[in-house]
Amino acid sequence: MATELHPQAEELLHRLSADGVPPLYRQSVADARETFLDLTVPSDHSEPIGRVTDVEIEGPNGTIAMRVYEPEDGGTVEEPRPALLFFHGGGWALGDLETHDIAARALANAAGCVVVSVDYRRAPEAPFPAPLEDCYAATAWLADDPDLELGEDVGIDAEWIAVGGDSAGGTLATGVALLARDRGGPELVRQLLVYPAMDHSFDTDSYTENANGYFLTRSDMEWLWDEYLETDLDGRHPYASPLRADLADLPPATVLTCGFDPLRDEGRAYADRLEAAGVPVNRLEYPDMIHGFLTMLADPEWERAREAVSDLASDLETASGK
């Protein structure tokens, strides 16, 4: 029997339709960014956390802003914390530190790790590979300076750094893992990938089954890829489309996919390819969910989002041994 759409997801889709929210691909980039902010930033809820600090570093192409989330019980020099470099979703063009603030807080608290959210340059102002190079620069910098210039009390374990993200952020996390392997560092211990986009191609069954009606559409993804890439040729590059890469010697991965998501099958295919390359994978399947549900954490009715945070955090905790 086919899985049914979760009632919470169904209610959201009905509400968006009733409110007359236009599809992303029919909006300008500026308007789509505002729409995404409206959908993801809570007006009256912010999960408590130990400490939040905004920092800036000088990357090879300018300043990169980051937000550091320390869990409520904090780390110490004597017992340093694992760290997760988190790259937000939004199709490489939308999203920012604010749209994923609540997800970063929740992951830091649930996993007991320090989450470093990266405000990479976005397309179309900065197309591929600019966002990826920012994410890699931030990762390399953290590995070199685990105290984040905030003092030793941050307590990051420089030997345990993971990369992760949702949607386009998952693509960037995988790209960072490939760059780290190909450039000889930094050493990464895990990829945490939430419904990632893994190929500049639209020929999977899930792109047909979920082309319309489930929040993220095929037309949205075609538009977002067009904003991200300067040419279609760039879409064949393995750092843009990791399914086209040699995946040997990458860090173990957690791959979360949703049943009602155009990107479902490429996430599954990436997990398959990793396993074929000898890379350990943990698959998290949410067959009744839509793309983007992790960013619905501000609504207490979305227990599936909280379950996903718990599942992701459990993988991080198990991998780190903390």
Side-chain angles (χ1 to χ4, degrees):
M1 182 176 178
T3 301
E4 294 184 355
L5 186 65
H6 195 284
Q8 291 163 349
E10 188 172 15
E11 190 278 332
L12 171 67
L13 297 174
H14 286 318
R15 176 165 56 83
L16 292 176
S17 178
D19 290 346
V21 177
L24 294 175
Y25 75 93
R26 291 183 179 172
Q27 302 183 46
S28 67
V29 171
D31 287 345
R33 286 172 177 169
E34 287 300 316
T35 297
F36 197 49
L37 277 168
D38 290 343
L39 287 171
T40 56
V41 177
S43 59
D44 58 356
H45 174 75
S46 182
E47 180 168 335
I49 196 165
R51 181 168 66 169
V52 178
T53 309
D54 288 331
V55 299
E56 291 185 346
I57 66 168
E58 284 303 316
N61 297 290
T63 301
I64 303 172
M66 299 183 291
R67 185 168 292 169
V68 182
Y69 299 84
E70 297 171 68
E72 288 186 294
D73 52 354
T76 66
V77 177
E78 292 77 18
E79 188 180 355
R81 291 288 187 190
L84 170 68
L85 267 296
F86 185 83
F87 313 123
H88 66 77
W92 309 283
L94 317 180
D96 56 24
L97 296 180
E98 300 304 328
T99 59
H100 288 68
D101 178 79
I102 193 167
R105 289 169 180 265
L107 282 169
N109 281 334
C113 69
V114 176
V115 172
V116 182
S117 186
V118 180
D119 196 21
Y120 55 84
R121 287 172 293 164
R122 298 179 297 184
E125 296 90 343
F128 173 83
L132 176 59
E133 289 291 354
D134 283 357
C135 293
Y136 176 77
T139 304
W141 179 82
L142 178 64
D144 288 339
D145 184 11
D147 292 328
L148 297 159
E149 299 178 359
L150 300 176
E152 292 182 346
D153 59 317
V154 176
I156 287 177
D157 183 354
E159 302 300 316
W160 206 101
I161 296 176
V163 291
D166 65 318
S167 193
T171 321
L172 293 170
T174 300
V176 168
L178 289 166
L179 284 173
R181 180 197 65 188
D182 296 346
R183 294 178 180 178
E187 193 75 23
L188 303 173
V189 298
R190 196 161 194 87
Q191 309 170 69
L192 196 75
L193 312 175
V194 180
Y195 35 76
M198 286 302 182
D199 195 16
H200 181 230
S201 179
F202 312 97
D203 58 359
T204 61
D205 288 344
S206 59
Y207 258 112
T208 300
E209 296 167 12
N210 304 314
N212 294 290
Y214 299 110
F215 184 58
L216 181 72
T217 68
R218 177 191 177 113
S219 295
D220 290 337
M221 283 305 303
E222 291 173 341
W223 172 64
L224 290 165
W225 272 109
D226 285 346
E227 296 296 329
Y228 183 44
L229 305 175
E230 290 193 283
T231 70
D232 282 348
L233 184 62
D234 287 338
R236 302 176 192 173
H237 198 292
Y239 295 156
S241 293
L243 270 180
R244 304 176 190 229
D246 173 5
L247 303 182
D249 302 317
L250 288 184
T254 300
V255 182
L256 185 152
T257 55
C258 302
F260 294 88
D261 181 0
L263 306 186
R264 179 195 68 208
D265 289 350
E266 57 201 83
R268 291 176 177 174
Y270 181 70
D272 290 343
R273 287 280 318 283
L274 284 175
E275 289 180 338
V279 178
V281 179
N282 185 30
R283 301 167 187 255
L284 300 176
E285 297 273 356
Y286 281 74
D288 59 353
M289 274 289 112
I290 58 174
H291 189 91
F293 80 101
L294 188 69
T295 51
M296 304 300 169
L297 283 163
D299 186 342
E301 296 295 321
W302 279 77
E303 74 269 2
R304 292 292 269 163
R306 189 61 59 178
E307 289 171 16
V309 167
S310 178
D311 287 343
L312 294 166
S314 178
D315 269 20
L316 284 174
E317 289 179 312
T318 299
S320 68
K322 298 294 182 180

